[in-house]
Amino acid sequence: MLTSFHNPDILTCLANLSSDEVFTPPNIANKMLDNLPEEIWSDKTVTFLDPVSKSGVFLREITKRLMQGLEGEIPNVEDRLEHILKKQVFGIGITKLTAEISRRTLYCAKKANSEFSIVNFSDEEGNLRYFKSEHFWADGVKCKYCGVNKKLYQRNKGLESYAYSFIHEDKPEELFNMKFDVIIGNPPYQMNDGGGTGSSAIPIYNKFIEVAKKLKPRYCSMIIPARWYSGGRGLDAFRKDMLGDRSLKELHDFTDSSDCFSGVEIKGGVCYFLWERDYKGDCLVTSNSESTTTSMLRPLLEDGMENFIRRNESVEIIKKVKSKNESTFDQIISANDPFGFDQRVKGKYKRIKPEFTLNKTRDTIPFYYQGWKKEGLGYINKRQITKNLELASRDKIYLPKAWGVGSLKADKLETILAEGISCSTETYLVISDDYTTEQLRNIQAYMQTKFFHHLALTLKNTQNAMKKVYSLIPLQDFSKVWDDESLYAKYGLTKQEIDFIENTTLNK
């Protein structure tokens, strides 16, 4: 005999559009709403906007809270619901389809003026609209609003162009002709830019945040990839603005994106934040990493630093390391593409593959390339080297330009000590300088310590590991071998700090 019936929330069961347009689970939407002050739920004048509605989950959960909070102010249920949906809760669908899905979630009907809608509007869209916008090809090549390639996104009528209205209007405040107190949502993360004949992507989530802040709501909260901590393509100015913004009141960081979006891998993790217009002060940083959660009120940029320290437990460790004012490891690492093999077909994105062989001849030198461990060491004519020819003749350490995913528990740096003449593709960076072979061995040993890995992974949020990833790591006297025990003693780390490094960094 059936004694109970479980009716699942349909919004927990939706398949994601892609890893760039992810539906927000109701529990995450509610965690973001929990950060807003409790009193707004009993204020019938507060207005809310989701400018990037996909499923309508934020608007639904907002309505639930207002229905409870306004019970004393508007006792009649029907009157209360009509006031909330007509006067307080607004949304913009990212596409016509998601606008319909969101209306079905919020109004229980895809047409707001239908007999099935729980509140009757005078038109089909109600307060949950889709505004058709267009890309603007300012230079005939790229959209001036989002930067995408004209060849990819200039499409026939009827096809989706992904010109999201919130960031493709000069005056987005005129979409609803009103001012909003709270702007909240989960924006699209990136768009394919084509990269010539290849494939690449440009981030666009930053543009939604920039527009939202320009509208000067009382509160703004969005969930986005955490890659912006490191800057990079299209994100350097955004990163600088965010880390210097004293109105950023809370930052909730997740190194593993599956803690927020089940089954979705977003390299580098995700975060959501609360921006409060009238707040000026330090940020409450909540770090969710390796099944551990900590919270600390602190500046997003510590004194003398240009980078955000992601894990709260690392802050004091880094302060102790930096207090010695030592030179840093990035100073001995080469720039990208140390031998000049990153060459492209003229006018195109496609790389020109170096001509090498797997058989050594008199005129060739050892050549390290991506995949050499499986296919065998390559050999290439030295004449193909276009820069740093003198570097080829030295003993050196090769370290990959990309490794791991940005996880303390999973990432390990594998290096190659190459004695004698050799070169490599742009897959590797190089350490050489005037070090002896013995010193290079000691450097290689240092790079295998948990101390080294921990400091590197403080700045490494994705696979990419350019020179700046190593800018927190101090140089040592490499005439001797360093291990974790001697490094912990040198920098005066406490047992708690040592245990944190030992328990959260991949075993050697």
Side-chain angles (χ1 to χ4, degrees):
M1 180 178 178
L2 184 64
T3 58
S4 64
F5 177 72
H6 174 58
N7 185 17
D9 183 350
I10 188 63
L11 298 189
T12 66
C13 308
L14 292 175
N16 290 303
L17 302 175
S18 69
S19 60
D20 300 325
E21 294 182 351
V22 183
F23 286 116
T24 311
N27 68 310
I28 298 300
N30 275 298
K31 287 182 179 180
M32 294 171 66
L33 294 172
D34 286 343
N35 294 332
L36 295 170
E38 186 65 29
E39 60 267 21
I40 70 170
W41 307 117
S42 55
D43 188 340
K44 68 178 183 179
T45 69
V46 175
T47 53
F48 300 81
L49 173 68
D50 179 356
V52 285
S53 189
K54 294 191 274 296
S55 68
V57 64
F58 286 102
L59 302 178
R60 186 190 72 175
E61 298 307 312
I62 288 168
T63 300
K64 285 182 180 180
R65 291 176 182 235
L66 290 171
M67 283 295 290
Q68 182 176 349
L70 292 174
E71 185 175 3
E73 181 83 9
I74 311 174
N76 183 274
V77 173
E78 289 79 13
D79 291 344
R80 195 185 325 144
L81 185 62
E82 181 158 348
H83 173 83
I84 291 167
L85 294 183
K86 287 190 173 182
K87 302 292 186 182
Q88 293 189 266
V89 178
F90 300 78
I92 301 173
I94 61 171
T95 65
K96 185 176 180 180
L97 175 61
T98 63
E100 292 179 348
I101 293 172
S102 298
R103 282 195 292 274
R104 179 65 180 82
T105 297
L106 190 61
Y107 304 145
C108 299
K110 73 175 184 178
K111 294 183 179 181
N113 62 353
S114 78
E115 61 181 304
F116 303 107
S117 177
I118 57 175
V119 170
N120 190 260
F121 287 85
S122 60
D123 60 69
E124 292 185 357
E125 292 192 300
N127 286 337
L128 219 165
R129 300 180 174 275
Y130 169 65
F131 298 94
K132 180 69 174 177
S133 293
E134 301 291 340
H135 296 290
F136 181 77
W137 315 113
D139 58 2
V141 179
K142 302 282 187 178
C143 174
K144 81 165 188 176
Y145 295 106
C146 66
V148 298
N149 194 300
K150 181 178 180 180
K151 290 182 180 179
L152 290 174
Y153 290 96
Q154 188 177 44
R155 298 175 175 178
N156 295 330
K157 289 183 178 180
L159 295 178
E160 180 56 61
S161 64
Y162 301 100
Y164 304 111
S165 58
F166 192 64
I167 61 172
H168 282 79
E169 301 291 334
D170 288 325
K171 296 182 178 181
E173 66 275 12
E174 294 182 356
L175 292 173
F176 280 103
N177 288 315
M178 63 182 295
K179 186 172 178 60
F180 292 97
D181 297 298
V182 179
I183 298 178
I184 189 167
N186 178 7
Y189 297 156
Q190 63 186 32
M191 292 181 72
N192 180 22
D193 188 38
T197 59
S199 178
S200 63
I202 55 174
I204 59 168
Y205 57 88
N206 51 306
K207 298 183 183 297
F208 289 91
I209 296 168
E210 289 165 351
V211 171
K213 288 164 68 172
K214 285 179 181 177
L215 296 181
K216 297 183 179 178
R218 288 167 57 191
Y219 305 97
C220 176
S221 181
M222 293 194 185
I223 183 166
I224 57 176
R227 293 189 289 267
W228 68 269
Y229 300 157
S230 300
R233 188 183 186 193
L235 291 172
D236 287 338
F238 173 74
R239 170 186 173 276
K240 183 178 180 180
D241 177 73
M242 288 286 280
L243 294 181
D245 192 341
R246 300 283 284 169
S247 291
L248 204 62
K249 190 175 185 180
E250 294 190 25
L251 179 65
H252 297 256
D253 176 58
F254 299 83
T255 56
D256 187 345
S257 62
S258 64
D259 289 340
C260 291
F261 304 117
S262 179
V264 178
E265 182 185 21
I266 300 172
K267 293 188 184 301
V270 297
C271 68
Y272 60 82
F273 64 86
L274 175 66
W275 179 89
E276 184 175 332
R277 181 190 64 204
D278 301 326
Y279 174 79
K280 295 293 182 288
D282 288 343
C283 183
L284 181 64
V285 178
T286 300
S287 300
N288 300 273
S289 179
E290 283 81 38
S291 302
T292 301
T293 300
T294 63
S295 293
M296 180 185 294
L297 185 66
R298 60 183 174 94
L300 291 175
L301 287 178
E302 297 292 333
D303 287 343
M305 287 200 60
E306 298 179 355
N307 304 99
F308 171 60
I309 301 172
R310 195 166 186 181
R311 297 164 182 85
N312 289 323
E313 299 93 334
S314 299
V315 173
E316 289 304 316
I317 295 172
I318 290 168
K319 284 182 178 179
K320 289 180 178 180
V321 170
K322 287 183 69 66
S323 69
K324 292 188 176 293
N325 295 315
E326 296 170 305
S327 297
T328 51
F329 202 81
D330 57 307
Q331 297 175 21
I332 66 170
I333 297 176
S334 71
N336 293 344
D337 189 26
F339 298 101
F341 286 105
D342 187 8
Q343 300 179 32
R344 311 296 172 113
V345 175
K346 187 175 181 179
K348 298 184 179 181
Y349 185 77
K350 184 178 180 181
R351 279 192 173 93
I352 299 174
K353 186 178 180 181
E355 296 181 6
F356 67 93
T357 176
L358 297 180
N359 300 310
K360 181 175 174 55
T361 67
R362 186 179 62 181
D363 298 327
T364 59
I365 63 173
F367 180 64
Y368 293 88
Y369 59 94
Q370 188 176 18
W372 70 270
K373 287 186 177 180
K374 292 182 179 179
E375 300 173 19
L377 185 63
Y379 295 90
I380 197 166
N381 194 299
K382 193 163 64 171
R383 287 194 299 270
Q384 291 194 55
I385 297 174
T386 61
K387 63 181 182 181
N388 297 324
L389 183 61
E390 76 287 350
L391 184 59
S393 300
R394 302 176 188 165
D395 292 354
K396 61 188 76 71
I397 294 172
Y398 291 111
L399 59 157
K401 189 175 64 175
W403 51 281
V405 294
S407 167
L408 283 172
K409 274 291 189 181
D411 289 3
K412 183 179 180 181
L413 174 59
E414 302 280 357
T415 61
I416 305 164
L417 176 58
E419 298 184 43
I421 190 169
S422 67
C423 62
S424 73
T425 64
E426 76 285 349
T427 300
Y428 296 98
L429 304 176
V430 173
I431 297 172
S432 180
D433 287 343
D434 296 322
Y435 291 113
T436 66
T437 304
E438 188 61 31
Q439 286 174 318
L440 289 173
R441 289 196 180 98
N442 292 341
I443 292 172
Q444 197 175 31
Y446 178 50
M447 296 173 74
Q448 294 307 303
T449 63
K450 289 188 174 184
F451 175 86
F452 184 100
H453 274 74
H454 181 82
L455 293 178
L457 288 163
T458 297
L459 299 185
K460 180 180 174 294
N461 298 316
T462 62
Q463 283 185 308
N464 290 329
M466 307 305 184
K467 285 183 62 169
K468 66 180 181 181
V469 161
Y470 305 94
S471 61
L472 290 179
I473 303 168
L475 285 174
Q476 308 296 339
D477 173 7
F478 293 120
S479 65
K480 62 180 183 179
V481 177
W482 291 89
D483 58 19
D484 280 314
E485 186 175 349
S486 59
L487 290 164
Y488 297 154
K490 175 180 176 179
Y491 295 100
L493 301 192
T494 65
K495 183 180 185 304
Q496 184 179 10
E497 291 163 346
I498 293 170
D499 288 344
F500 173 66
I501 293 177
E502 290 288 323
N503 295 331
T504 59
T505 308
L506 183 69
N507 289 330
K508 291 177 283 185

